[in-house]
Amino acid sequence: MTRLVVTGTDTDVGKTVFAAALAGALDASYWKPVQAGLDGGSDASRVAALSGLARERILPEAYRLTTPCSPDRAAALDGVTIDLDRLVPPALPGPLVIEGAGGVMVPLTDTRVFADLFAQWRLPVVIVARTALGTINHSLLSIEALRRRDVPILGVAFVGDAVPHSEAAIVRLGNVRHLGRLPMLPRLDAAALRAAFAASFRLEDFR
C-alpha cells in the first residue's frame, strides 16, 4: 500500500501543487494534518480543485488554524494545543498522500518540529524543492535533518525551470534520487497539472 509524505524545503515551493498532482496520479486519498492560515481557502481545497479526486478522498485536517504562520504560533493564537497523538495517519484501504506544512524544521509545538513527526510515522518522504537560487542549501539541510532522525527519503521532486547544476548537486551531495521536475505552468488547472505530472515523473517511482 502506497503511503507517502510530501514535505518542502521552504514555504511556497510548490508542495501543495505537487501533492495534488501526485494524489491524483495515484488515485489516492489526501490528508493535511495541520492547516495554518485559512484566508483564501485551505490547501485541502486547492488539492480538491487540482487533483481531480472525489471530495471524499480529501480528508479533514486534524487542526485548522487561523493565522498563516508556524503551527505552534498559530495554535497559540487560536488558544489551541496541538496534540501529536491526534496526528496519526489514518488507516485506509488505498494509497494516501500526506502533506506537511512549510519545511521539515517548522515547529509543531514548543518542543517538536515536523521532522520529529515524520520520524514517528516512519513513512517514505518526498522532498519538494524549488529550482531557484538558494535551493542547494535549503535542500541539503532538509535532507540532513531527516537523515539525522532516520526518516526514509524517497527522493526529491523539483519545481520550476530546469537548473541542471543545482539539481545534480542536490542529488549528488544529498545522495538522493531525482524523481523529476514539475515545470511552471502557464495555466494551472487539473488537466494541465495531470499532463505535466505524467510527462515529468514515472508513477512507478512512487509505488
Side-chain angles (χ1 to χ4, degrees):
M1 184 190 305
T2 301
R3 293 159 68 82
L4 299 172
V5 175
V6 174
T7 189
T9 57
D10 202 350
T11 300
D12 294 332
V13 297
K15 182 172 72 276
T16 298
V17 172
F18 174 81
L22 179 60
L26 290 170
D27 195 23
S29 295
Y30 166 88
W31 184 48
K32 177 150 186 152
V34 180
Q35 170 70 44
L38 297 175
D39 285 348
S42 66
D43 288 340
S45 64
R46 194 173 191 205
V47 169
L50 290 175
S51 65
L53 294 172
R55 187 66 215 185
E56 60 268 20
R57 295 286 186 86
I58 310 297
L59 307 179
E61 303 93 335
Y63 293 96
R64 288 174 58 87
L65 307 171
T66 307
T67 308
C69 59
S70 62
D72 65 326
R73 178 61 177 157
L77 291 172
D78 282 357
V80 172
T81 299
I82 292 179
D83 180 0
L84 296 190
D85 289 338
R86 287 186 59 190
L87 305 182
V88 177
L92 297 168
L96 175 65
V97 172
I98 305 171
E99 183 186 354
V104 301
M105 296 302 289
V106 167
L108 268 168
T109 70
D110 289 344
T111 60
R112 294 289 184 269
V113 298
F114 268 96
D116 297 320
L117 183 63
F118 300 159
Q120 288 181 206
W121 291 348
R122 306 295 302 160
L123 296 175
V125 169
V126 177
I127 300 171
V128 178
R130 60 165 64 95
T131 57
L133 188 65
T135 192
I136 296 175
N137 180 65
H138 290 161
S139 299
L140 294 179
L141 287 173
S142 299
I143 292 165
E144 184 175 309
L146 293 172
R147 288 247 169 85
R148 195 182 319 127
R149 293 166 173 80
D150 294 322
V151 176
I153 300 173
L154 187 69
V156 178
F158 293 94
V159 176
D161 297 331
V163 184
H165 172 266
S166 295
E167 296 171 47
I170 291 165
V171 169
R172 182 180 69 255
L173 295 172
N175 191 25
V176 290
R177 278 201 295 168
H178 189 308
L179 295 171
R181 181 181 58 82
L182 191 65
M184 302 303 291
L185 301 175
R187 184 186 78 259
L188 182 56
D189 57 29
L193 183 59
R194 182 168 55 250
F197 184 90
S200 305
F201 296 89
R202 299 189 326 148
L203 196 54
E204 54 265 35
D205 288 340
F206 299 93
R207 287 182 166 145

